[in-house]
Amino acid sequence: MNHPLLKLFSRRELVRGLGALAGATGAAALGLAQNNAPAEHSGGSGHAAAATVAAKGMSAADHGSNVVMGVVDPETNGFDPMQMLVDWDYGKVSKLPGGQTLREYEFVASEKEIEIAPGIFFPAWTYNGRVPGPSIRCTEGDRLRVKLVNGSSHPHTIHFHGFHPANMDGTPLPGNGGLVQPGDSYTYEFDAVPFGCHKYHCHAASLKRHIHKGMYGAFVVDPKGGRPPAREFMMVMNAFDTNFDGGNEVYAVNTVGFEFAHRPVPIRRGELVRIYLMNLVEFDLLNSFHTHGIMFDYYDHGTTLEPTLRTVDTVAQMQGQRGIVEFRAPYTGPFMFHAHVSEFAELGWMGHFNVVEEAGWAEALSRVGLTAEWDKRGLDGATVAWKGGETA
Amino acid sequence: MTREPESKENRWGGFGWVLALIPLLLLGLVLAYLVATGGGLRELAGPPLERVKIERITLPAPGVIRLEVVNDGPQEVTIPQVLVDDAYWAYTVTPSNTLPRLGRATFTIPYPWVAEETHRVVLITSLGATFEGEIAAAVVSPRPDASLFGRFALVGLYVGIVPVLLGMLWYPWMRRLSRPAMNFILSLTVGLLVFLAVGTYLDANEFAAQLPAFWQGVPAVIFVALIALGALLALGARQRGEVGALELSYRIALGIGLHNLGEGLAIGAAFALGEAALGTFLVLGFTLHNITEGVGIAAPVVRKSPGLGHFALLCLVAGGPAILGVWIGGFAFSPVLATVFLAVGIGAILQVVWEVGRLVARDSAALGQPLVNWVNLAGLTAGIAVMYLTAFLVKF
Ligand SMILES: [Cu+2]
């Protein structure tokens, strides 16, 4: 076997060559052995630069350099995924003659270019200039009055999940309220029942496009007796098909990919954390939510006071499914949370919790640009079932 | 009647050339107007169209992917993010990730690629358009060290020099052939050259298709080939009468050499891109496939005795470029150069088809036969058939 040709081209490589040749150009049909050993590092200038990046990226442990370059300035979008975790919208509150609490909202549909990952802009359709739209928060039995003003160039609707009369369903079906044409408006009015972790979205056709363009949001109805006090977050799992090929390029929670990997979400060790989680991803059948180092209870649709799943660390949600996640983190430190669909995680649906003791709380907040106001809003959510109600 | 026309010309004196500048000056004014004001065409402006091309992917070291990217769209493009295997990945870029029209950039991505497996790279623009590249089978891109240089040369030797040399060894036998039999051999040469011309054209188009759009690769192949053909015909026509037999052999060798250069380029490039592996069987296939090239080169000089020195040189001209091609393709592949080389090769081959065809015509006439007779047609068919059938060994 010391003939140069035989040494050069081993049997194994020949076989591989035949297989790999399918894509080779015609004249390239003659294969060539891939038996050169891995090249030694020559320390060329180009490699030195690459090595620096590698070293920087690899500091993120097992996920290596799976990051986006740069950050999204919340000023650009006019909304901040971190603030969206806690910015419940209780509406304009008043009392109806019978004593029922009335919450009034105005949603303006508009077209807006939003930055969904650093440097990547998406031509979104929005409610009130944000994706997801306002997070409606109310108590079971409240009267909701939501006026949709269509300031965009396409017809839209608002379709709420939950019990309501047919003409408040917000679909093009005759008797369902119909499409709200550009320049027109329509007011959806119904009682908020049942309590749960609900959502709303546009139901104009094409449904896929109107949803993945950004027309959706949280609709959380608290039980009359409220839920135990907790730090509460609103997380909409969403994604964007930037090249309109029927598959998503960027996955996220609250719109901006990798945002919570750049800015870990602060929580206190041992405190009760409640996440209103919903899946608004289009095109993919399933999405999921997975916590590291933490097991949680799960309330599917949030329509029960008892968990529907206990002590799990991964839960799947199909398109439009949602539920409530509750946990207490037993250890301090950085912990990932992400879709346990690895593809989505690597395309942006990746975040971190920063679990700290009381002593580290202020630092954890300031590190990601948060103030005491964010802290307060996060804790207030659960205790304001009555907010604007009894006090008004 | 005054003689007005003359006086008009005289008025300009020796400055008639100024007249030629007037349209250019006006063109400049129109362009300036359009650039400055939009010329009333603003409403016609369509949505932004982004287009970039990953021209070359190399793996300079384990854990590193390098992309050479060119903007062949109509406007500036920014590439904020890069994905490898459906995952956003950190990168460095020179000079900038904003590419002006026709601008270039090199992205270096520290990615733990897996040897001999397939990876997919995607560039995503600021408007969310995506552009893909594929690493068919990841291998560290070859570097020009002495060992690989030598091994590449060996491949070129077996693909280019050896078959040409072996084919030429039929020369003593060919000298004993009758005139009709020799006409068969010359027709066979035309056949193999026609096969090579078609093959080279198709290969050139494959490279041309990889080029950024502004090169207009496919028509450029035809134009370069036509210009090469024209230039070679003009060179041949400079001398009175017919091209000498030895010179014709050199021209055939040159045409075949350019074809073999292209073959070498493709082999080297396929190796560098991890798209191909070379086995003994395939090398033998190529040797067999190219062996008739030697016959074709030697055919015109059967009535002369050029001497060994000329045969050695002919062999080098026809076969040597294969070695050069593997080197260039493996170490510094450029689809632009490959397209140009192959297009020139088409022209060179077509020119010798013409010259050898004339030789066949002359010899047929001397035998009192028409150009298209059964012997010549059989030779042509045999030439094409031999090339076609031996290509079974090297095409997959
Ligand atoms: Cu809509």
Side-chain angles (χ1 to χ4, degrees):
Chain A
M1 283 290 278
N2 53 9
H3 185 281
L5 246 189
L6 295 179
K7 227 160 73 181
L8 192 53
F9 317 116
S10 76
R11 173 86 194 142
R12 186 187 69 84
E13 284 146 354
L14 166 60
V15 172
R16 211 173 62 75
L18 296 177
L21 268 166
T25 58
L30 169 60
L32 194 56
Q34 311 291 357
N35 58 352
N36 53 328
E40 57 290 349
H41 284 278
S42 72
S45 57
H47 304 130
T52 314
V53 174
K56 200 180 84 191
M58 294 304 172
S59 63
D62 54 326
H63 283 250
S65 305
N66 174 213
V67 293
V68 280
M69 303 288 283
V71 292
V72 173
D73 182 354
E75 294 290 313
T76 312
N77 286 332
F79 59 83
D80 180 352
M82 189 65 100
Q83 295 298 333
M84 281 175 159
L85 292 174
V86 298
D87 68 346
W88 302 106
D89 191 336
Y90 302 97
K92 196 180 116 213
V93 185
S94 58
K95 287 282 183 197
L96 290 169
Q100 189 183 15
T101 300
L102 172 69
R103 297 182 189 271
E104 291 177 279
Y105 297 84
E106 183 170 294
F107 283 14
V108 178
S110 66
E111 285 145 28
K112 183 176 178 179
E113 186 157 87
I114 57 172
E115 192 175 1
I116 54 168
I120 303 176
F121 293 85
F122 181 78
W125 294 346
T126 73
Y127 293 119
N128 289 358
R130 44 177 279 170
V131 178
S135 303
I136 293 178
R137 186 86 187 248
C138 58
T139 304
E140 189 179 21
D142 288 352
R143 169 58 58 99
L144 291 190
R145 191 176 286 165
V146 185
K147 183 181 183 188
L148 171 62
V149 178
N150 190 350
S152 81
S153 59
H154 289 265
H156 299 295
T157 74
I158 309 176
H159 164 67
F160 289 88
H161 285 221
F163 293 122
H164 49 243
N167 63 341
M168 294 299 144
D169 200 38
T171 86
L173 190 68
N176 269 192
L179 294 172
V180 182
Q181 297 297 333
D184 284 357
S185 65
Y186 186 86
T187 301
Y188 301 91
E189 186 167 339
F190 54 92
D191 291 339
V193 278
F195 72 80
C197 175
H198 304 310
K199 67 182 169 70
Y200 61 85
H201 60 84
C202 177
H203 214 298
S206 127
L207 199 50
K208 287 193 294 292
R209 183 152 304 223
H210 282 253
I211 293 179
H212 106 262
K213 289 277 260 180
M215 306 198 81
Y216 45 76
F219 166 38
V220 171
V221 183
D222 288 315
K224 282 210 170 85
R227 291 178 187 273
R231 177 173 302 286
E232 295 193 327
F233 296 132
M234 192 288 298
M235 292 192 183
V236 168
M237 303 191 283
N238 53 359
F240 301 90
D241 176 12
T242 65
N243 58 5
F244 303 101
D245 65 349
N248 297 304
E249 275 65 45
V250 174
Y251 292 79
V253 156
N254 297 353
T255 299
V256 178
F258 290 108
E259 178 66 12
F260 300 121
H262 286 304
R263 298 164 75 197
V265 178
I267 54 181
R268 285 186 177 92
R269 188 180 70 81
E271 72 179 339
L272 181 63
V273 175
R274 180 177 300 126
I275 299 170
Y276 296 89
L277 179 75
M278 42 204 86
N279 178 26
L280 267 301
V281 164
E282 282 299 318
F283 311 119
D284 303 294
L285 299 182
L286 279 174
N287 202 337
S288 72
F289 178 88
H290 165 61
T291 48
H292 284 219
I294 295 166
M295 306 287 283
F296 56 83
D297 286 350
Y298 183 69
Y299 305 70
D300 189 30
H301 285 68
T303 43
T304 58
L305 293 173
E306 288 298 309
T308 51
L309 279 174
R310 287 184 194 273
T311 325
V312 296
D313 64 12
T314 305
V315 68
Q317 287 186 346
M318 60 185 193
Q319 290 187 8
Q321 198 173 354
R322 65 276 178 194
I324 299 172
V325 168
E326 271 185 8
F327 63 84
R328 295 175 194 274
Y331 295 102
T332 59
F335 291 98
M336 286 181 173
F337 66 97
H338 58 89
H340 216 298
V341 184
S342 308
E343 180 197 350
F344 301 176
E346 294 188 329
L347 288 170
W349 183 170
M350 164 58 68
H352 309 157
F353 289 121
N354 181 16
V355 185
V356 296
E357 299 285 8
E358 188 57 44
W361 183 244
E363 198 272 330
L365 286 179
S366 66
R367 183 184 149 193
V368 289
L370 296 175
T371 61
E373 175 64 18
W374 182 88
D375 181 24
K376 182 172 174 300
R377 277 202 208 148
L379 293 171
D380 271 0
T383 57
V384 291
W386 45 268
K387 195 163 202 171
E390 273 89 287
T391 55
Chain B
M1 285 294 284
T2 52
R3 294 155 86 192
E4 213 171 3
E6 267 183 31
S7 64
K8 251 185 189 166
E9 277 165 25
N10 291 343
R11 214 182 299 151
W12 285 93
F15 292 97
W17 56 270
V18 174
L19 290 170
L21 289 184
I22 288 173
L24 292 178
L25 283 173
L26 290 176
L27 176 66
L29 282 176
V30 171
L31 290 179
Y33 169 72
L34 280 174
V35 169
T37 69
L41 295 174
R42 287 267 152 84
E43 314 79 72
L44 289 179
L49 180 66
E50 295 181 317
R51 199 169 57 211
V52 295
K53 185 138 203 154
I54 300 177
E55 215 176 32
R56 185 167 145 89
I57 305 178
T58 52
L59 306 173
V64 182
I65 297 173
R66 186 164 298 157
L67 313 176
E68 286 164 37
V69 178
V70 59
N71 173 5
D72 63 340
Q75 66 194 38
E76 183 179 279
V77 172
T78 298
I79 300 167
Q81 306 296 345
V82 171
L83 296 94
V84 186
D85 297 338
D86 273 342
Y88 286 96
W89 219 262
Y91 64 85
T92 55
V93 62
T94 54
S96 163
N97 63 348
T98 296
L99 287 73
R101 172 159 155 72
L102 307 189
R104 316 178 73 85
T106 302
F107 289 77
T108 304
I109 311 163
Y111 185 85
W113 52 263
V114 182
E116 306 191 5
E117 293 187 4
T118 302
H119 294 281
R120 223 164 51 89
V121 184
V122 172
L123 304 175
I124 187 161
T125 70
S126 51
L127 297 182
T130 52
F131 299 91
E132 278 188 41
E134 193 193 63
I135 302 162
V139 282
V140 171
S141 301
R143 278 198 230 173
D145 60 57
S147 147
L148 196 54
F149 230 75
R151 282 184 292 156
F152 276 176
L154 201 57
V155 170
L157 192 75
Y158 283 110
V159 166
I161 303 244
V162 167
V164 171
L165 189 65
L166 290 176
M168 280 181 172
L169 290 179
W170 268 305
Y171 177 75
W173 170 74
M174 287 195 286
R175 281 172 72 93
R176 289 153 204 265
L177 291 177
S178 64
R179 256 185 187 269
M182 204 46 228
N183 258 6
F184 177 87
I185 296 292
L186 285 172
S187 299
L188 181 138
T189 302
V190 173
L192 92 92
L193 289 170
V194 166
F195 184 94
L196 289 184
V198 172
T200 309
Y201 173 70
L202 295 177
D203 292 344
N205 271 352
E206 287 209 29
F207 286 122
Q210 296 172 26
L211 297 180
F214 61 80
W215 285 106
Q216 309 154 72
V218 173
V221 166
I222 295 170
F223 298 138
V224 171
L226 284 177
I227 290 164
L229 173 63
L232 288 166
L233 284 175
L235 276 175
R238 224 178 26 181
Q239 301 124 334
R240 292 263 164 240
E242 282 173 11
V243 175
L246 186 58
E247 192 185 338
L248 182 53
S249 282
Y250 272 108
R251 283 171 183 235
I252 295 174
L254 176 72
I256 288 175
L258 281 165
H259 170 82
N260 285 345
L261 177 80
E263 225 156 52
L265 276 172
I267 293 165
F271 176 79
L273 299 176
E275 279 177 359
L278 179 65
T280 313
F281 175 73
L282 288 175
V283 175
L284 289 179
F286 254 85
T287 308
L288 205 59
H289 180 57
N290 288 351
I291 202 160
T292 36
E293 293 174 356
V295 177
I297 292 163
V301 288
V302 284
R303 306 276 170 251
K304 322 267 171 208
S305 295
L308 278 181
H310 277 299
F311 277 115
L313 197 57
L314 284 168
C315 184
L316 200 65
V317 169
I323 299 175
L324 203 64
V326 180
W327 281 340
I328 297 174
F331 297 129
F333 181 69
S334 147
V336 177
L337 277 184
T339 308
V340 171
F341 282 143
L342 288 179
V344 171
I346 300 165
I349 293 167
L350 287 178
Q351 194 260 338
V352 288
V353 165
W354 168 252
E355 299 288 359
V356 180
R358 286 211 306 181
L359 207 58
V360 176
R362 192 193 60 189
D363 290 358
S364 299
L367 290 169
Q369 298 200 332
L371 172 57
V372 183
N373 59 53
W374 286 112
V375 173
N376 291 354
L377 193 61
L380 183 82
T381 310
I384 292 174
V386 166
M387 293 303 279
Y388 178 76
L389 294 173
T390 53
F392 280 36
L393 301 173
V394 294
K395 302 272 177 193
F396 292 93

